Amino acid sequence: MVDAVSVPDAGARSWWGRVFRWERRRLGDPPKRVFVGCLVTVSLVCAWTSSWPNGSLFWFLAEAFAWFVLGVVWAFLFGAAVLTRSGRARLRAARWRWAAVPVAVVLVLAGLRAGLPLQARFAASEDALRATAVEAARGGEPQLGWRGLYRVTAAEPLAAGRGALLSVPGGSGVFRIDGGFAYAPDGSPAADRGRVSFIHLTGDWYTWYESW
């Protein structure tokens, strides 16, 4: 019975040969360093891009593909363990480590779906963003640049001094011209230029984007 993943001598110097030897993988072993490292990297990238005011179609597709690849690899490793006697023995011994991966993935995706990265990053930046928005609404010259954890490239008042639009890089996507945050203390802002759409974020704040 094959007990471990063997690497042919011909591939001893290949990158995949070195990975398998570094991992010391046997059938039934739970995901190890390479897989976990990829999982953490994808999770961090998703958290970063989802903390932008509006998402990007390019990053959404790239991240969806990365999650798909990770799922296929996990399913392959799990299937290989289930189909061998020695693999099933090791799988039972490490069942909690096997279960940790799907549980972690569910928690990460749930946090992304709930918008936690955006809420956390915005909460840390709200005071600085508000100061810029209030000054722009008054018709003054607001301070641009890094305001908290976001880089504001432009700030302009909404109609009738009802708030301000802040442009933030990363707030636009493939089919969007611009995007960012909108400060509207008098209620939901009206689109006073172009094809601007607003999504309520919290309190007096909205995210906005302008489509083609």
Side-chain angles (χ1 to χ4, degrees):
M1 184 66 65
V2 177
D3 190 28
V5 175
S6 59
V7 180
D9 293 338
R13 289 185 296 274
S14 65
W15 67 268
W16 53 268
R18 290 193 295 270
V19 167
F20 274 118
R21 289 202 308 277
W22 180 56
E23 285 277 272
R24 297 178 182 177
R25 170 160 297 285
R26 299 174 300 177
L27 292 176
D29 287 344
K32 292 188 176 182
R33 288 171 288 191
V34 172
F35 184 92
V36 173
C38 292
L39 177 61
V40 171
T41 300
V42 172
S43 298
L44 291 176
V45 170
C46 289
W48 176 251
T49 58
S50 66
S51 71
W52 296 340
N54 292 290
S56 164
L57 178 60
F58 168 79
W59 280 106
F60 174 79
L61 295 177
E63 291 160 2
F65 178 74
W67 284 115
F68 173 76
V69 171
L70 288 174
V72 169
V73 172
W74 186 91
F76 173 79
L77 295 175
F78 185 79
V82 170
L83 295 176
T84 61
R85 182 179 302 174
S86 59
R88 287 193 296 270
R90 292 194 181 91
L91 190 153
R92 286 192 296 270
R95 58 184 179 273
W96 296 116
R97 293 174 61 190
W98 274 101
V101 170
V103 170
V105 170
V106 169
L107 292 176
V108 168
L109 295 181
L112 295 175
R113 183 69 178 85
L116 297 183
L118 173 60
Q119 295 174 21
R121 188 177 177 186
F122 177 81
S125 310
E126 183 175 4
D127 290 342
L129 292 172
R130 186 184 299 274
T132 297
V134 169
E135 186 64 24
R138 292 172 178 170
E141 297 183 0
Q143 180 179 352
L144 303 180
W146 284 99
R147 308 300 291 147
L149 300 179
Y150 291 100
R151 185 166 63 90
V152 178
T153 57
E156 57 183 279
L158 289 170
R162 297 180 61 245
L165 293 180
L166 307 181
S167 296
V168 176
S172 57
V174 175
F175 300 109
R176 296 171 180 176
I177 303 173
D178 200 0
F181 295 107
Y183 174 67
D186 294 333
S188 179
D192 61 344
R193 63 179 180 84
R195 299 176 179 177
V196 180
S197 299
F198 296 91
I199 302 174
H200 184 252
L201 178 60
T202 181
D204 300 330
W205 290 94
Y206 299 76
T207 61
W208 69 274
Y209 64 89
E210 184 176 4
S211 304
W212 289 98

